[in-house]
Every structure is written in structure tokens, then in C-alpha cells.
Amino acid sequence: MLQTTKKSAMEKRYLLFICLSILTFCLAADASNAEAARPCNGRRYSEGDSIVCVCSGTYCDDLTPIVQGDIPAGQFLSYRSSRSGDRFLAVKGTIQPNGTRQTDDGTDPTGAVVDAVFTISNAGSYQSLIGFGGAMTDAAAINIMSLSEAARKSLLDSYYSETGSEYSVGRVPMASCDFSTHVYSYDETPGDFDLKDFKLTTEDLDMKIPLLKQAQATAKAPLKIFGSVWTAPAWLKTSGRENTSGQLIGQAGDKYHKTWAQYFVKFVQSYEAQNVSIWGLTTQNEPIDGYIPMFPFQALGFTPASQRDFIAKDLGPALAAANLQHLKLIIMDDQRFLLPNWADTVLADDTAAGFVDGIGVHWYFDGLTPASVLTKTHNRHPDKFILSTEACQGSGIGQHKVILGDWSRGESYAQDIIENLQNWVGGWVDWNLALNTEGGPNWAKNQVDSPIIVNATADEFYKQPMYYALAHFRYSSLTGS
């Protein structure tokens, strides 16, 4: 049964389109298959319980762009992906008249089978949608660049075009992370507090930046690209090493912290000099990692209090002085079990809070903390958005890294996204856009899975169930809505 408040017929059809286009598996009585886009070239691997869709420079499945007016009054269009091999199977259906009630035997009074009952209400409003996306890590860039030009275009189209996932958000590491082939920063000169030797590297100039430009040229709207940093140069850290834990030397307001703040400024300016616009910054990737002894890859530690002070005394003023106050500054960028305390501590300081726009969360320990903590955090800080900034499969101890065609991994993505959206999260950003068949490269041997797996030898790539789980949200979760 569809229950709506007073809205125009066009608005009602649009609301119904939003509700029925997302991850739809139950269809109404008069459903029939719609004309499909280019279908999946499916392939099964022994380790998976579903298929991957094989793409190359000459063929790749795609998705049909949908225009609101394409759906006639009284009808709906849904899309189905399934373990058995359906990938965005388009299905048309007829909406039963408003007010039709289902009987105990699963039929309406006319005898037709009722597959689903949706109640639509415009009472109340929730978060504005920032969008969906993935990270252009060094590893992702290496894998994408390993393909032929035609195959590379197919991959970027799969993510950014109107016939693909229509990603609108992108994360880029500031210098190296574990998904690099080696450890590096943008200024390796000890004592260079003026950052005279700061410079982008070949990973930026020859791979990430050209690919981000191509992605932007493919997308129909400006991409929201945000930078995240893993480590400071060794000479700014208490450990004296980039490839493990440690904190900034000194305390907020001193030359070490002011130099680190300028590092952010120079990153943004350097990328924008290459015609890549930066939308935002996270203050630090997983800051609690910097306090774990002998952490196995790049990290820099902050507590909520030290992050608060760094923002208030160093980073915020540095961005403002460089006329970069328009950037979206995102705190935490770590696990949600740190909420709401992390946000409470940082945002209790009016100066720090004035520079902060959002709160970043990762998904890795979501099982430890209910999603309701996100709503609790929103209720305490309603003027700050919440963005899921990293997720991946295969990261757990003992887990297989890459499983080609694993359906449950796609289901986990969909479940997490829905749970986040129901608790005030404004967007969801995946980890590596593409990895190789081993789940890398990763210098720390911390390989994981990815929605797209590249086989450079065969000049092809495989779209996993995770890819389609994410892509389903393109039809219902419109950026800015």
C-alpha cells in the first residue's frame, strides 16, 4: 500500500522511483522485463558463489541512464542483481491504486499478488546526500594504469560515467600509505620547517592526477575529492620513522605543528596547480593507529584533545590564511566506536568547531558499536555532516584477500550503506578503486579485496558483486538530495 501526503503527481512518482529503484528484489503483479543495457559478460571462479562481470577495452556491461520522466504514471522501474547472476536486470511493474490493502493470503481485493508494500511520507527531513565513491590510492592508480588505454577508459566509465556507478566523491592519500609500493612523504629533508623541498611525486604526477582528471572529465558533475594523510615526514615524528606509529614532536602551536599544518596547505595548492580541485581534507587517517606500538605501516597519532588543539591553533588558521577555508575539514576519520566522545571533545572548543565541517567514520569494527551511535553523534552536533570515509572486504585476520565472485561481500556492503544512511551518514566512500588479483600492491603485505580486480596480463578487469551493491545506490541516492 502506498500512503502519501499531499504532493503533486510528479513528486509522488519521483518519491516512488526513489523507493523502488534501490536493491529491489520483490516485484508487483504486472511486472515485465525492461529493455536492458549491455549485459554482463559473466564468469565464475571456483572460490566464489556468484559471478564476476568481465570487462576489456572492447566490451563492458553498462547501466541505463534513467530520467525521471521515463517512468509513466502508475508504473515503477526496479533493478535486480542476484547471487544466481542477474546484474541490474531492469523490471517494469504497475503500482496498485493508492489505498489498496493486502489481504491475509497476500493478494489485494482484485486477487492480484502483492509483492511489496511501501509507505511514502514527506514528514520530516534528514541529511543531505554527499555521494558515493572510492579512493585513488597508489595501488589503485598502478592497476588502472596497467591496462590498455581502451580498457582503462572502460574502468573509469564503470565508476564515473552516466552508464556506470556515477561516483561523485573521491579520496586521495597525501603521499604514501600501505597501498603504495614504498614509503615516502612529500618532504624528506630533515629540519625543513619552511617546506622548501616539498614536492609531489611521480605517483601523483604520472598516475593519480592524470587519472583523477580523466575521472572528472568522465563525470557529469564536479567530483568531491578529499585528501587524507597517513604519516608526517620522519623528522616531524616522535618515532623518527614514517612506516610505523608515532606522534608529532612537541605540542600544538609549536614549529612542528605549524609545519605540519603547512604541509596540508601545500598539498592542496600543489594539486590545484595541476588542475585537480580539492573539496576537503581529513585531519588524519585513523589517528589512534599512531599509538599502537610497532604499528605495521604508516601512522600518526592524535587523541581527540590533541586533534582539537592542532585544528584550533595550527591547521584551521593555516587553511584560513591561505584562503582555503572553503575546504570541508573532516575530523576523526577512524572507527565509529570512538563516537560520540571524539566529536564531543573536538567540537566542545568553539575555535576548533568553527573550522570543522564533518566527521569521518570507517567501518572495520562496526560490529562492536551499534549504528545508533551515529544518530547520537548527529543529535549532539547537527551542524556537522557524517561521512563514511573507508571500507573494504578481506581485511580481517585469516580472511581470504581477494575472492572473485563472493556474493556475501556485496551484501555486506549494501547492508552497511543502508544502516549508515538510516543513521544520518551523508555518503559512503569505498577503499581502493581497483586492486590486482592478489589484492595489492601493498608494501606492508596488507592486501584486501576490491569492487574491481585488474588482470593486467589479460588486459581485463572483473566487476565484483561489491561493485554492483554500490552501483545500485546510483538510482535512488541522488547527490544533494
Side-chain angles (χ1 to χ4, degrees):
M1 176 174 60
L2 296 172
Q3 297 178 332
T4 64
T5 53
K6 292 183 178 180
K7 295 183 76 68
S8 69
M10 178 65 75
E11 288 174 314
K12 288 179 181 178
R13 288 202 298 273
Y14 183 64
L15 284 169
L16 185 63
F17 160 70
I18 291 295
C19 288
L20 295 182
S21 62
I22 183 169
L23 296 172
T24 304
F25 298 95
C26 298
L27 307 174
D30 297 327
S32 61
N33 289 354
E35 182 178 351
R38 287 195 293 182
C40 166
N41 176 21
R43 181 185 297 170
R44 288 189 178 272
Y45 287 87
S46 59
E47 63 265 34
D49 58 351
S50 189
I51 63 169
V52 298
C53 296
V54 181
C55 293
S56 66
T58 57
Y59 185 87
C60 193
D61 60 295
D62 58 19
L63 311 177
T64 304
I66 297 298
V67 179
Q68 183 178 329
D70 289 347
I71 306 172
Q75 295 185 13
F76 68 84
L77 182 60
S78 68
Y79 294 87
R80 182 174 69 230
S81 295
S82 66
R83 189 190 308 270
S84 61
D86 289 334
R87 294 294 182 267
F88 274 83
L89 177 66
V91 181
K92 293 178 180 178
T94 300
I95 304 165
Q96 303 302 324
N98 190 29
T100 298
R101 293 187 177 276
Q102 182 176 344
T103 60
D104 291 340
D105 61 359
T107 64
D108 70 13
T110 67
V113 175
V114 178
D115 294 305
V117 177
F118 288 84
T119 300
I120 299 174
S121 173
N122 70 336
S125 61
Y126 298 88
Q127 71 272 36
S128 177
L129 192 77
I130 297 167
F132 296 85
M136 187 67 77
T137 60
D138 289 358
I142 289 167
N143 285 302
I144 297 170
M145 294 295 286
S146 72
L147 294 167
S148 65
E149 184 176 351
R152 188 184 314 148
K153 182 179 185 302
S154 289
L155 192 153
L156 292 174
D157 284 349
S158 293
Y159 274 133
Y160 298 101
S161 76
E162 290 186 282
T163 57
S165 302
E166 290 191 283
Y167 273 6
S168 58
V169 185
R171 188 184 189 208
V172 59
M174 295 164 55
S176 68
C177 66
D178 53 321
F179 279 93
S180 300
T181 58
H182 62 110
V183 180
Y184 64 91
S185 74
Y186 290 139
D187 190 336
E188 301 287 7
T189 303
D192 184 20
F193 292 102
D194 293 327
L195 297 179
K196 294 179 180 179
D197 292 335
F198 181 102
K199 58 181 179 296
L200 300 180
T201 66
T202 184
E203 287 85 356
D204 299 287
L205 298 172
D206 296 340
M207 295 190 299
K208 289 189 286 189
I209 287 174
L211 288 172
L212 288 171
K213 287 182 178 179
Q214 189 173 347
Q216 180 60 82
T218 303
K220 66 180 181 181
L223 296 176
K224 298 180 179 74
I225 297 171
F226 66 95
S228 296
V229 71
W230 267 247
T231 184
W235 53 274
L236 288 175
K237 292 179 66 176
T238 56
S239 63
R241 295 170 57 194
E242 294 172 5
N243 62 345
T244 189
S245 50
Q247 301 85 50
L248 288 175
I249 297 171
Q251 59 188 359
D254 68 12
K255 65 179 181 179
Y256 292 93
H257 287 70
K258 293 198 177 300
T259 299
W260 185 228
Q262 288 300 320
Y263 191 99
F264 284 75
V265 170
K266 285 185 173 291
F267 165 78
V268 175
Q269 293 173 335
S270 297
Y271 260 64
E272 295 196 339
Q274 297 293 323
N275 297 314
V276 174
S277 295
I278 300 298
W279 170 80
L281 296 165
T282 70
T283 47
Q284 174 62 45
N285 175 74
E286 297 187 350
I288 62 173
D289 291 349
Y291 289 94
I292 300 174
M294 302 302 293
F295 193 74
F297 53 86
Q298 297 96 314
L300 184 66
F302 284 91
T303 64
S306 65
Q307 187 170 93
R308 174 200 64 205
D309 295 344
F310 172 60
I311 293 169
K313 296 180 180 180
D314 304 296
L315 183 57
L319 293 173
N323 292 318
L324 296 174
Q325 61 268 30
H326 61 279
L327 296 178
K328 304 299 183 184
L329 190 62
I330 304 168
I331 61 171
M332 202 173 82
D333 200 16
D334 211 324
Q335 319 308 325
R336 74 184 186 202
F337 62 67
L338 297 169
L339 293 174
N341 176 66
W342 195 286
D344 289 348
T345 300
V346 174
L347 301 177
D349 182 273
D350 289 342
T351 302
F355 293 118
V356 173
D357 298 278
I359 303 160
V361 293
H362 292 191
W363 90 325
Y364 297 104
F365 296 94
D366 280 2
L368 299 178
T369 308
S372 58
V373 74
L374 300 168
T375 292
K376 185 176 183 179
T377 301
H378 164 79
N379 290 340
R380 294 190 184 195
H381 311 286
D383 59 331
K384 311 302 181 186
F385 64 76
I386 305 175
L387 179 65
S388 179
T389 50
E390 186 179 313
C392 70
Q393 289 281 10
S395 63
I397 297 174
Q399 286 186 331
H400 291 287
K401 301 307 179 182
V402 175
I403 304 179
L404 293 173
D406 188 283
W407 182 254
S408 66
R409 290 186 169 184
E411 286 184 326
S412 294
Y413 265 30
Q415 180 178 351
D416 193 77
I417 293 168
I418 292 169
E419 185 178 70
N420 274 260
L421 293 178
Q422 290 175 331
N423 286 276
W424 294 95
V425 174
W428 204 90
V429 184
D430 191 32
W431 192 201
N432 299 276
L433 286 166
L435 294 174
N436 62 25
T437 55
E438 301 299 319
N442 183 297
W443 76 265
K445 302 189 185 304
N446 186 36
Q447 295 93 339
V448 298
D449 211 341
S450 174
I452 286 183
I453 296 296
V454 170
N455 182 344
T457 302
D459 194 32
E460 61 188 21
F461 60 93
Y462 312 130
K463 290 156 79 171
Q464 297 261 53
M466 289 179 287
Y467 168 87
Y468 295 95
L470 270 161
H472 268 280
F473 290 87
R474 75 187 284 267
Y475 285 127
S476 62
S477 303
L478 309 180
T479 299
S481 62

